[in-house]
Amino acid sequence: MGLKAVHFGGGNIGRGFVAEKLHLAGYEVVFVDVMDSIIDQLQKTKEYTVTEIGAEGEKVNTITNYRAINSKTHEEDVIKEIASADLVTCAVGPNVLKFIAPVIAKAIDQRTEPKPIAVIACENAIGATDTLAGFIKDSKNTPQDRLSSINDRARFANSAIDRIVPGQKPDAGLNVEIESFYEWVVDKTPFAEHGHPDVSAIKWVDDLNPYIERKLFTVNTGHAAAAYYGYARGKKTVDEALSDSDINKLVHDCLGETSNLIVKKHGISTDEQKAYVEKIIKRISNPYLKDVVERVGRAPLRKLSRKERFVGPASQLAESGDKVDALLGAIEQAFGFVDVEGDEESAELSKILKSNGAKDVVGKVCGLEESHPLFDKILPIVEKVQKSVK
């Protein structure tokens, strides 16, 4: 029997990154989603293409050997697939993990395979697999008398993923255009004596934390900062924003502050981190990606939360008395990303700003206590933005 991976999330990252790399590694991929339109397309189409775009040109990979199941209507089928699979991955968004946990928990509990299944969440969030595992192990999903032996049936490994998927053409269907650069780093320590899954695209490491924070606080911080400044100044795409010398400097300043944290905390050399920053700026400036600022800026509530790309590094820097001026500037732009068409979180952020006092906004959105050294730095920003939100 060949290798099989069950992947939750039939979106662009799922089809264009995770499933692509699993397919190239020889896995049959079983897509699981609740979106009827995506599942119907996957069931009716025997192949789709992933076009990798870079400065060196384009490369097209054709993806085959996949199936698709709607977990909303065929949960038992999903359970059976996971019970006999080698690997479970997901790219559904951090807020959806709690909804996919119950069906994964049921499947894990039914497993009789001698080798535990590998569970890897591929999300733009720190410790996403730990979060998913927490929901799976909750007493509502896994009988408590089965918890002591769950490691015999499943191993949970955190990951860091890095690949830009721009907005797609309206008539793309299942086909995905994606940047050629990628990084997929996974903690290998949970697999111990069983060995990690054989996926050549994955870099297996003993300590994932430096990779997670370096990626989140460089790629995601820089990408979002460029989008928010670009949106505020009427730019259409991220590359157009970064071609503006003022915005380019503001983004570099943000990454200068996050680099200070990364170098001190993780022992990465200043020169290595500086080179990484320049590589990232070059990547997100790629004009071929046509990355629209509204797409990159969407979900501002998540991006302004406590452990995310702005408040996460700024809070750590403030705790050690380091400079955070540039990050505060980006935070102000993010708070101004309100009532953007098609983005529910930007509408919710607008409501929060209008219906709460500034202190409550900082606590609710950024997750900071009044005693935290960053709190009083963000407070005047919120007060300023509240005056402009009507």
Side-chain angles (χ1 to χ4, degrees), residues 344-365:
E344 292 179 8
E345 283 198 17
S346 70
E348 182 62 24
L349 175 57
S350 179
K351 288 179 189 173
I352 291 170
L353 287 165
K354 290 172 185 173
S355 59
N356 292 272
K359 287 187 176 181
D360 288 337
V361 172
V362 178
K364 190 184 294 255
V365 175

Side-chain angles (χ1 to χ4, degrees), residues 310-332:
F310 297 126
V311 178
S315 62
Q316 294 182 58
L317 288 164
E319 287 165 8
S320 57
D322 286 308
K323 187 169 169 289
V324 293
D325 296 352
L327 285 167
L328 290 170
I331 288 169
E332 180 177 338

Side-chain angles (χ1 to χ4, degrees), residues 288-329:
Y288 298 104
L289 292 175
K290 297 181 176 61
D291 220 354
V292 178
V293 294
E294 288 88 352
R295 187 201 75 79
V296 179
R298 68 189 176 193
L301 286 175
R302 176 169 64 84
K303 287 166 182 165
L304 282 166
S305 63
R306 182 67 173 79
K307 293 182 179 180
E308 265 283 348
R309 62 205 70 195
F310 297 126
V311 178
S315 62
Q316 294 182 58
L317 288 164
E319 287 165 8
S320 57
D322 286 308
K323 187 169 169 289
V324 293
D325 296 352
L327 285 167
L328 290 170

Side-chain angles (χ1 to χ4, degrees), residues 8 32-34 39 69-76 78 103:
F8 285 78
V32 178
D33 209 307
V34 294
I39 293 298
I69 302 173
N70 190 324
S71 56
K72 187 170 57 179
T73 56
H74 292 74
E75 183 180 285
E76 282 302 317
V78 176
V103 67

Side-chain angles (χ1 to χ4, degrees), residues 238-269:
V238 170
D239 67 284
E240 184 186 340
L242 286 168
S243 67
D244 181 309
S245 58
D246 288 341
I247 295 177
N248 194 294
K249 183 180 185 305
L250 289 163
V251 173
H252 268 96
D253 289 347
C254 279
L255 299 188
E257 290 176 358
T258 60
S259 291
N260 181 30
L261 173 67
I262 291 162
V263 167
K264 286 182 178 178
K265 185 174 180 180
H266 296 299
I268 296 169
S269 75

Side-chain angles (χ1 to χ4, degrees), residues 93-341:
N95 296 333
V96 181
L97 295 174
K98 59 179 173 285
F99 299 114
I100 67 171
V103 67
I104 298 174
K106 289 176 186 174
I108 288 172
D109 200 53
Q110 291 184 18
R111 278 182 69 86
T112 57
E113 299 287 326
K115 187 174 182 179
I117 191 169
V119 181
I120 304 172
C122 307
E123 310 288 349
N124 261 330
I126 292 175
T129 306
D130 284 344
T131 302
L132 176 59
F135 290 128
I136 289 170
K137 295 174 183 178
D138 187 282
S139 59
K140 294 194 295 289
N141 297 320
T142 297
Q144 293 306 284
D145 63 341
R146 297 282 283 165
L147 275 183
S148 61
S149 62
I150 196 169
N151 272 359
D152 295 335
R153 296 181 294 281
R155 297 294 171 97
F156 303 90
N158 285 312
S159 76
I161 61 164
D162 182 7
R163 201 174 200 185
I164 296 170
V165 185
Q168 303 295 305
K169 294 171 182 172
D171 60 349
L174 294 174
N175 299 333
V176 181
E177 290 188 344
I178 196 165
E179 74 163 330
S180 55
F181 176 91
Y182 74 89
E183 190 170 57
W184 188 2
V185 188
V186 181
D187 180 6
K188 70 179 180 183
T189 58
F191 302 105
E193 71 279 9
H194 294 285
H196 59 70
D198 185 12
V199 182
S200 60
I202 294 177
K203 179 175 183 177
W204 301 95
V205 299
D206 291 313
D207 183 6
L208 189 64
N209 285 332
Y211 293 91
I212 290 178
E213 287 209 334
R214 185 176 76 158
K215 185 263 174 177
L216 185 61
F217 298 163
T218 309
V219 182
N220 297 90
T221 302
H223 207 200
Y228 289 135
Y229 274 113
Y231 178 78
R233 300 187 186 196
K235 311 295 185 183
K236 287 185 170 57
T237 60
V238 170
D239 67 284
E240 184 186 340
L242 286 168
S243 67
D244 181 309
S245 58
D246 288 341
I247 295 177
N248 194 294
K249 183 180 185 305
L250 289 163
V251 173
H252 268 96
D253 289 347
C254 279
L255 299 188
E257 290 176 358
T258 60
S259 291
N260 181 30
L261 173 67
I262 291 162
V263 167
K264 286 182 178 178
K265 185 174 180 180
H266 296 299
I268 296 169
S269 75
T270 302
D271 287 344
E272 181 184 343
Q273 178 60 17
K274 186 176 180 181
Y276 183 68
V277 165
E278 292 309 317
K279 179 172 75 172
I280 298 312
I281 294 285
K282 183 179 178 183
R283 280 177 57 207
I284 63 178
S285 300
N286 184 348
Y288 298 104
L289 292 175
K290 297 181 176 61
D291 220 354
V292 178
V293 294
E294 288 88 352
R295 187 201 75 79
V296 179
R298 68 189 176 193
L301 286 175
R302 176 169 64 84
K303 287 166 182 165
L304 282 166
S305 63
R306 182 67 173 79
K307 293 182 179 180
E308 265 283 348
R309 62 205 70 195
F310 297 126
V311 178
S315 62
Q316 294 182 58
L317 288 164
E319 287 165 8
S320 57
D322 286 308
K323 187 169 169 289
V324 293
D325 296 352
L327 285 167
L328 290 170
I331 288 169
E332 180 177 338
Q333 302 307 307
F335 267 110
F337 192 80
V338 295
D339 295 321
V340 177
E341 186 178 351

